[in-house]
Amino acid sequence: NRDAIEVTGIGFMNHYFRTQRLDLGFAEVTAGPRFNLPTPDDRVSRLSVKPYAILTEVGLGEAQYFKSLGTGLETTASVWDDLAIRTIFEFRQKDFSNARDRPLSSGLDGNDKLVTLQLRQRVTANSELLGQFDFLDQDTRFPWYANRTYGLTGGYHIIYDDPTGWI
């Protein structure tokens, strides 16, 4: 049934020669099983659920800025053979570290709740339309740092064959 364990990772690091307080390092790993479920009717060609764990570490100015632990749940469905619907919910508990030049960073301690709805509609055999809505609710220990963000994204993707023929 093509169930799987999925592990993803992302990382970024930069270093400034003269201004080390701006040095930034970021690493995040997610891991969890993806379960492919039986389709409920003829309109749904694929249905999967993926619960996962999230671990994040961020450094700023050559010192820890924050770390977070969290969990997420992703559902994906393909309907009418050409529309993919993906929903994501993530919860992260973030713990910030104070530093000499950031003595109040721990006031950002709190949690993030992220909700995403993504739609992908195939247009041709090698192209698709993409629409995405995001809502992020950030609670912090100091309430004036709390934040709610909404995002809307649209795109058109075209897939080309590898011109070198290597892939």
Side-chain angles (χ1 to χ4, degrees), residues 85-150:
I85 302 170
R86 183 175 172 209
T87 61
I88 300 170
F89 174 77
E90 291 184 350
F91 176 86
R92 300 164 193 254
Q93 180 62 43
K94 292 168 58 173
D95 297 310
F96 285 78
S97 300
N98 294 328
R100 187 173 36 91
D101 59 342
R102 311 180 258 104
L104 298 176
S105 292
S106 61
L108 297 169
D109 287 355
N111 60 62
D112 292 357
K113 294 171 281 299
L114 174 68
V115 177
T116 298
L117 171 63
Q118 183 183 77
L119 303 173
R120 290 179 177 265
Q121 173 67 50
R122 189 171 359 142
V123 178
T124 65
N126 69 333
S127 69
E128 66 184 8
L129 285 171
L130 168 71
Q132 183 169 313
F133 171 77
D134 298 300
F135 171 69
L136 175 62
D137 182 8
Q138 295 177 302
D139 289 326
T140 60
R141 195 171 77 175
F142 293 160
W144 52 87
Y145 288 139
N147 182 42
R148 288 193 174 93
T149 305
Y150 303 87

Side-chain angles (χ1 to χ4, degrees), residues 18-134:
R18 294 186 189 152
T19 311
Q20 282 78 29
R21 67 184 175 85
L22 300 177
D23 290 352
L24 179 66
F26 168 82
E28 181 171 277
V29 175
T30 67
R34 179 173 301 277
F35 302 107
N36 289 295
L37 306 175
T39 56
D41 59 44
D42 295 344
R43 294 172 290 191
V44 179
S45 60
R46 197 180 87 224
L47 181 62
S48 70
V49 174
K50 176 186 164 188
Y52 55 95
I54 306 165
L55 175 63
T56 308
E57 177 73 32
V58 178
L60 179 62
E62 301 188 12
Q64 183 185 56
Y65 185 44
F66 75 86
K67 63 183 176 193
S68 73
L69 290 172
T71 186
L73 180 65
E74 175 190 319
T75 61
T76 304
S78 293
V79 295
W80 304 298
D81 292 326
D82 60 358
L83 176 65
I85 302 170
R86 183 175 172 209
T87 61
I88 300 170
F89 174 77
E90 291 184 350
F91 176 86
R92 300 164 193 254
Q93 180 62 43
K94 292 168 58 173
D95 297 310
F96 285 78
S97 300
N98 294 328
R100 187 173 36 91
D101 59 342
R102 311 180 258 104
L104 298 176
S105 292
S106 61
L108 297 169
D109 287 355
N111 60 62
D112 292 357
K113 294 171 281 299
L114 174 68
V115 177
T116 298
L117 171 63
Q118 183 183 77
L119 303 173
R120 290 179 177 265
Q121 173 67 50
R122 189 171 359 142
V123 178
T124 65
N126 69 333
S127 69
E128 66 184 8
L129 285 171
L130 168 71
Q132 183 169 313
F133 171 77
D134 298 300

